[in-house]
Amino acid sequence: MSFSGKYQLESQENFEPFMKTIGLSDEMIEKGKDIKSISEIEQNGDHFKVTVTTGPKVMVNTFTVGQESELEMLTGEKAKGVVRLEGNKLKVTLKGMDSVTEMVDANTLVTTATLGGMVYKRTSKRM
């Protein structure tokens, strides 16, 4: 199943406590909590370009599965990691945070980020 497409955030769980855990300010959390971000994924074989637009903030990450890449994290900080593709899941660990992005069906993208015991889950639907 191809990840390519444009997805709009539909729901999220544990947004505020997770963002506090990773160090975002209360002001940033308040600004971001109700914005329906748009994720656009371009997949060409093992090469990916992921653009996430949240209000005025645009985050772009490009990577090739299995190769070390520098990726921008939710905090804006950059970290190196290797993205793995396991079935319909993209997995990466950056600075102790595990992230799994899964195509649960042809129109639903679920991203789960885990840091320590804190889990943040976001569900997006194809536009």
Side-chain angles (χ1 to χ4, degrees), residues 29-45:
I29 292 168
E30 197 57 39
K31 280 184 185 173
K33 72 177 184 180
D34 295 321
I35 297 175
K36 297 291 186 200
S37 66
I38 306 285
S39 300
E40 186 168 3
I41 301 174
E42 297 170 46
Q43 179 182 1
N44 185 355

Side-chain angles (χ1 to χ4, degrees), residues 6-25:
K6 228 177 189 179
Y7 305 87
Q8 181 167 26
L9 178 66
E10 188 173 77
S11 65
Q12 50 190 359
E13 299 166 23
N14 284 334
F15 175 79
E16 291 181 56
F18 188 83
M19 295 307 153
K20 278 187 183 183
T21 300
I22 65 170
L24 285 189
S25 69

Side-chain angles (χ1 to χ4, degrees), residues 16-113:
E16 291 181 56
F18 188 83
M19 295 307 153
K20 278 187 183 183
T21 300
I22 65 170
L24 285 189
S25 69
D26 288 345
E27 181 187 348
M28 293 294 290
I29 292 168
E30 197 57 39
K31 280 184 185 173
K33 72 177 184 180
D34 295 321
I35 297 175
K36 297 291 186 200
S37 66
I38 306 285
S39 300
E40 186 168 3
I41 301 174
E42 297 170 46
Q43 179 182 1
N44 185 355
D46 282 344
H47 187 74
F48 286 78
K49 179 181 179 186
V50 180
T51 306
V52 180
T53 305
T54 308
K57 178 162 175 40
V58 179
M59 184 172 76
V60 179
N61 281 314
T62 57
F63 59 89
T64 300
V65 171
Q67 294 181 15
E68 186 175 73
S69 305
E70 186 173 72
L71 302 169
E72 185 176 344
M73 299 175 61
L74 295 168
T75 56
E77 183 181 0
K78 293 191 184 290
K80 290 188 188 252
V82 177
V83 180
R84 299 178 320 281
L85 179 61
E86 297 176 10
N88 58 342
K89 296 179 183 179
L90 289 168
K91 297 181 174 186
V92 67
T93 300
L94 298 171
K95 294 201 151 202
M97 182 177 74
D98 293 318
S99 175
V100 178
T101 299
E102 177 180 9
M103 288 293 310
V104 290
D105 62 38
N107 296 309
T108 310
L109 192 68
V110 175
T111 300
T112 306

Side-chain angles (χ1 to χ4, degrees), residues 114-127:
T114 308
L115 182 63
M118 182 66 63
V119 177
Y120 166 54
K121 183 176 175 183
R122 52 185 287 138
T123 302
S124 301
K125 289 286 187 185
R126 190 180 293 273
M127 298 173 65

